[in-house]
mmCIF file of all heavy atoms in Angstrom:
data_model
loop_
_atom_site.group_PDB
_atom_site.id
_atom_site.type_symbol
_atom_site.label_atom_id
_atom_site.label_comp_id
_atom_site.label_asym_id
_atom_site.label_seq_id
_atom_site.Cartn_x
_atom_site.Cartn_y
_atom_site.Cartn_z
ATOM 1 N N ALA V 1 -49.688 -22.099 -40.151
ATOM 2 C CA ALA V 1 -49.691 -23.550 -40.507
ATOM 3 C C ALA V 1 -48.383 -24.140 -40.274
ATOM 4 O O ALA V 1 -47.318 -23.450 -40.432
ATOM 5 C CB ALA V 1 -50.148 -23.701 -41.921
ATOM 6 N N ARG V 2 -48.350 -25.423 -40.008
ATOM 7 C CA ARG V 2 -47.078 -26.118 -39.708
ATOM 8 C C ARG V 2 -47.144 -27.497 -40.415
ATOM 9 O O ARG V 2 -48.202 -28.106 -40.435
ATOM 10 C CB ARG V 2 -46.847 -26.279 -38.277
ATOM 11 C CG ARG V 2 -45.631 -27.019 -37.852
ATOM 12 C CD ARG V 2 -45.419 -26.882 -36.348
ATOM 13 N NE ARG V 2 -44.976 -25.520 -36.035
ATOM 14 C CZ ARG V 2 -45.172 -24.955 -34.827
ATOM 15 N NH1 ARG V 2 -45.785 -25.546 -33.879
ATOM 16 N NH2 ARG V 2 -44.624 -23.788 -34.713
ATOM 17 N N ILE V 3 -46.036 -27.935 -40.910
ATOM 18 C CA ILE V 3 -45.932 -29.233 -41.558
ATOM 19 C C ILE V 3 -44.711 -29.987 -41.010
ATOM 20 O O ILE V 3 -43.638 -29.385 -40.969
ATOM 21 C CB ILE V 3 -45.979 -29.188 -43.090
ATOM 22 C CG1 ILE V 3 -46.015 -30.603 -43.693
ATOM 23 C CG2 ILE V 3 -44.751 -28.423 -43.617
ATOM 24 C CD1 ILE V 3 -46.450 -30.618 -45.149
ATOM 25 N N PHE V 4 -45.010 -31.193 -40.509
ATOM 26 C CA PHE V 4 -43.823 -31.891 -39.935
ATOM 27 C C PHE V 4 -43.200 -32.792 -40.973
ATOM 28 O O PHE V 4 -43.698 -32.966 -42.145
ATOM 29 C CB PHE V 4 -44.481 -32.807 -38.828
ATOM 30 C CG PHE V 4 -45.044 -31.996 -37.678
ATOM 31 C CD1 PHE V 4 -46.411 -31.575 -37.702
ATOM 32 C CD2 PHE V 4 -44.274 -31.517 -36.596
ATOM 33 C CE1 PHE V 4 -46.947 -30.826 -36.679
ATOM 34 C CE2 PHE V 4 -44.805 -30.752 -35.631
ATOM 35 C CZ PHE V 4 -46.147 -30.397 -35.619
ATOM 36 N N SER V 5 -42.023 -33.418 -40.626
ATOM 37 C CA SER V 5 -41.332 -34.155 -41.596
ATOM 38 C C SER V 5 -42.037 -35.309 -42.168
ATOM 39 O O SER V 5 -41.857 -35.670 -43.362
ATOM 40 C CB SER V 5 -40.011 -34.639 -40.957
ATOM 41 O OG SER V 5 -40.272 -35.440 -39.798
ATOM 42 N N GLY V 6 -42.943 -35.878 -41.419
ATOM 43 C CA GLY V 6 -43.809 -37.010 -41.885
ATOM 44 C C GLY V 6 -44.918 -36.644 -42.716
ATOM 45 O O GLY V 6 -45.654 -37.409 -43.330
ATOM 46 N N GLY V 7 -45.162 -35.266 -42.776
ATOM 47 C CA GLY V 7 -46.280 -34.805 -43.610
ATOM 48 C C GLY V 7 -47.533 -34.380 -42.899
ATOM 49 O O GLY V 7 -48.459 -33.771 -43.438
ATOM 50 N N SER V 8 -47.573 -34.623 -41.599
ATOM 51 C CA SER V 8 -48.725 -34.187 -40.807
ATOM 52 C C SER V 8 -48.755 -32.674 -40.716
ATOM 53 O O SER V 8 -47.656 -32.020 -40.733
ATOM 54 C CB SER V 8 -48.790 -34.861 -39.457
ATOM 55 O OG SER V 8 -47.649 -34.567 -38.769
ATOM 56 N N THR V 9 -49.902 -32.113 -40.595
ATOM 57 C CA THR V 9 -50.096 -30.678 -40.567
ATOM 58 C C THR V 9 -50.925 -30.146 -39.412
ATOM 59 O O THR V 9 -51.780 -30.907 -38.911
ATOM 60 C CB THR V 9 -50.677 -30.219 -41.926
ATOM 61 O OG1 THR V 9 -51.974 -30.830 -42.055
ATOM 62 C CG2 THR V 9 -49.816 -30.530 -43.050
ATOM 63 N N THR V 10 -50.758 -28.895 -39.019
ATOM 64 C CA THR V 10 -51.631 -28.158 -38.134
ATOM 65 C C THR V 10 -51.877 -26.821 -38.728
ATOM 66 O O THR V 10 -51.088 -26.276 -39.440
ATOM 67 C CB THR V 10 -50.967 -28.101 -36.722
ATOM 68 O OG1 THR V 10 -49.792 -27.304 -36.834
ATOM 69 C CG2 THR V 10 -50.703 -29.428 -36.068
ATOM 70 N N TYR V 11 -53.031 -26.294 -38.377
ATOM 71 C CA TYR V 11 -53.484 -25.027 -38.867
ATOM 72 C C TYR V 11 -54.003 -24.143 -37.795
ATOM 73 O O TYR V 11 -54.689 -24.632 -36.805
ATOM 74 C CB TYR V 11 -54.530 -25.149 -39.939
ATOM 75 C CG TYR V 11 -54.036 -25.829 -41.188
ATOM 76 C CD1 TYR V 11 -54.221 -27.199 -41.290
ATOM 77 C CD2 TYR V 11 -53.508 -25.107 -42.307
ATOM 78 C CE1 TYR V 11 -53.769 -27.876 -42.440
ATOM 79 C CE2 TYR V 11 -53.031 -25.737 -43.402
ATOM 80 C CZ TYR V 11 -53.171 -27.145 -43.496
ATOM 81 O OH TYR V 11 -52.750 -27.790 -44.652
ATOM 82 N N ALA V 12 -53.954 -22.812 -37.937
ATOM 83 C CA ALA V 12 -54.624 -21.979 -36.971
ATOM 84 C C ALA V 12 -56.100 -22.016 -37.369
ATOM 85 O O ALA V 12 -56.526 -22.312 -38.475
ATOM 86 C CB ALA V 12 -54.188 -20.514 -37.304
ATOM 87 N N ASP V 13 -56.922 -21.928 -36.317
ATOM 88 C CA ASP V 13 -58.363 -22.020 -36.485
ATOM 89 C C ASP V 13 -58.927 -21.043 -37.579
ATOM 90 O O ASP V 13 -59.866 -21.399 -38.295
ATOM 91 C CB ASP V 13 -59.101 -21.789 -35.182
ATOM 92 C CG ASP V 13 -58.980 -22.953 -34.242
ATOM 93 O OD1 ASP V 13 -58.566 -24.069 -34.623
ATOM 94 O OD2 ASP V 13 -59.247 -22.764 -33.031
ATOM 95 N N SER V 14 -58.298 -19.910 -37.611
ATOM 96 C CA SER V 14 -58.745 -18.831 -38.498
ATOM 97 C C SER V 14 -58.483 -19.221 -39.979
ATOM 98 O O SER V 14 -59.181 -18.594 -40.856
ATOM 99 C CB SER V 14 -58.096 -17.561 -38.231
ATOM 100 O OG SER V 14 -56.635 -17.643 -38.367
ATOM 101 N N VAL V 15 -57.697 -20.188 -40.327
ATOM 102 C CA VAL V 15 -57.420 -20.491 -41.750
ATOM 103 C C VAL V 15 -57.858 -21.937 -42.125
ATOM 104 O O VAL V 15 -57.708 -22.349 -43.239
ATOM 105 C CB VAL V 15 -55.953 -20.294 -42.064
ATOM 106 C CG1 VAL V 15 -55.540 -18.874 -41.648
ATOM 107 C CG2 VAL V 15 -55.036 -21.291 -41.432
ATOM 108 N N LYS V 16 -58.276 -22.672 -41.097
ATOM 109 C CA LYS V 16 -58.678 -24.081 -41.402
ATOM 110 C C LYS V 16 -59.686 -24.104 -42.497
ATOM 111 O O LYS V 16 -60.733 -23.379 -42.475
ATOM 112 C CB LYS V 16 -59.191 -24.757 -40.139
ATOM 113 C CG LYS V 16 -58.117 -25.212 -39.181
ATOM 114 C CD LYS V 16 -58.746 -25.913 -37.997
ATOM 115 C CE LYS V 16 -57.643 -26.367 -36.954
ATOM 116 N NZ LYS V 16 -58.216 -26.954 -35.773
ATOM 117 N N GLY V 17 -59.547 -25.064 -43.451
ATOM 118 C CA GLY V 17 -60.506 -25.162 -44.503
ATOM 119 C C GLY V 17 -60.280 -24.259 -45.625
ATOM 120 O O GLY V 17 -60.870 -24.364 -46.763
ATOM 121 N N ARG V 18 -59.401 -23.224 -45.495
ATOM 122 C CA ARG V 18 -59.077 -22.291 -46.553
ATOM 123 C C ARG V 18 -57.659 -22.346 -46.973
ATOM 124 O O ARG V 18 -57.350 -22.168 -48.186
ATOM 125 C CB ARG V 18 -59.421 -20.845 -46.068
ATOM 126 C CG ARG V 18 -60.786 -20.654 -45.657
ATOM 127 C CD ARG V 18 -61.091 -19.124 -45.369
ATOM 128 N NE ARG V 18 -60.215 -18.665 -44.221
ATOM 129 C CZ ARG V 18 -59.431 -17.597 -44.368
ATOM 130 N NH1 ARG V 18 -59.237 -16.998 -45.531
ATOM 131 N NH2 ARG V 18 -58.738 -17.139 -43.298
ATOM 132 N N PHE V 19 -56.714 -22.606 -46.069
ATOM 133 C CA PHE V 19 -55.248 -22.687 -46.412
ATOM 134 C C PHE V 19 -54.788 -24.160 -46.410
ATOM 135 O O PHE V 19 -55.282 -25.010 -45.597
ATOM 136 C CB PHE V 19 -54.458 -21.906 -45.395
ATOM 137 C CG PHE V 19 -54.656 -20.414 -45.446
ATOM 138 C CD1 PHE V 19 -55.669 -19.882 -46.227
ATOM 139 C CD2 PHE V 19 -53.794 -19.584 -44.714
ATOM 140 C CE1 PHE V 19 -55.828 -18.434 -46.232
ATOM 141 C CE2 PHE V 19 -53.892 -18.213 -44.771
ATOM 142 C CZ PHE V 19 -54.934 -17.556 -45.578
ATOM 143 N N THR V 20 -53.789 -24.435 -47.254
ATOM 144 C CA THR V 20 -53.262 -25.787 -47.228
ATOM 145 C C THR V 20 -51.744 -25.596 -47.316
ATOM 146 O O THR V 20 -51.188 -24.957 -48.261
ATOM 147 C CB THR V 20 -53.679 -26.630 -48.471
ATOM 148 O OG1 THR V 20 -55.172 -26.699 -48.406
ATOM 149 C CG2 THR V 20 -53.103 -28.005 -48.395
ATOM 150 N N ILE V 21 -51.039 -26.282 -46.388
ATOM 151 C CA ILE V 21 -49.562 -26.261 -46.498
ATOM 152 C C ILE V 21 -49.059 -27.570 -46.998
ATOM 153 O O ILE V 21 -49.671 -28.617 -46.762
ATOM 154 C CB ILE V 21 -48.920 -26.068 -44.982
ATOM 155 C CG1 ILE V 21 -47.474 -25.793 -45.000
ATOM 156 C CG2 ILE V 21 -49.390 -27.206 -44.107
ATOM 157 C CD1 ILE V 21 -46.890 -25.415 -43.719
ATOM 158 N N SER V 22 -48.063 -27.478 -47.790
ATOM 159 C CA SER V 22 -47.468 -28.710 -48.382
ATOM 160 C C SER V 22 -45.921 -28.552 -48.502
ATOM 161 O O SER V 22 -45.503 -27.348 -48.478
ATOM 162 C CB SER V 22 -48.089 -28.945 -49.767
ATOM 163 O OG SER V 22 -47.803 -27.895 -50.657
ATOM 164 N N ARG V 23 -45.258 -29.606 -48.703
ATOM 165 C CA ARG V 23 -43.831 -29.510 -48.868
ATOM 166 C C ARG V 23 -43.260 -30.527 -49.866
ATOM 167 O O ARG V 23 -43.926 -31.538 -50.173
ATOM 168 C CB ARG V 23 -43.136 -29.733 -47.515
ATOM 169 C CG ARG V 23 -43.221 -31.215 -46.984
ATOM 170 C CD ARG V 23 -42.784 -31.274 -45.555
ATOM 171 N NE ARG V 23 -41.332 -31.011 -45.427
ATOM 172 C CZ ARG V 23 -40.662 -30.867 -44.229
ATOM 173 N NH1 ARG V 23 -41.474 -30.876 -43.046
ATOM 174 N NH2 ARG V 23 -39.434 -30.624 -44.145
ATOM 175 N N ASP V 24 -42.151 -30.181 -50.485
ATOM 176 C CA ASP V 24 -41.530 -30.977 -51.444
ATOM 177 C C ASP V 24 -40.092 -31.243 -50.908
ATOM 178 O O ASP V 24 -39.191 -30.261 -51.022
ATOM 179 C CB ASP V 24 -41.434 -30.353 -52.872
ATOM 180 C CG ASP V 24 -40.849 -31.296 -53.896
ATOM 181 O OD1 ASP V 24 -40.013 -32.047 -53.518
ATOM 182 O OD2 ASP V 24 -41.319 -31.196 -55.067
#
């Protein structure tokens, strides 16, 4: 998973819907 400075995210297909990336 990847999270950009603006908050948008991308995920590997194998983890979509199960994993969530977030940042503070």
Side-chain angles (χ1 to χ4, degrees):
R2 176 170 289 155
I3 186 164
F4 298 89
S5 56
S8 59
T9 58
T10 61
Y11 296 92
D13 287 343
S14 59
V15 307
K16 280 181 182 176
R18 300 188 298 122
F19 290 12
T20 302
I21 189 171
S22 60
R23 68 190 293 169
D24 185 329

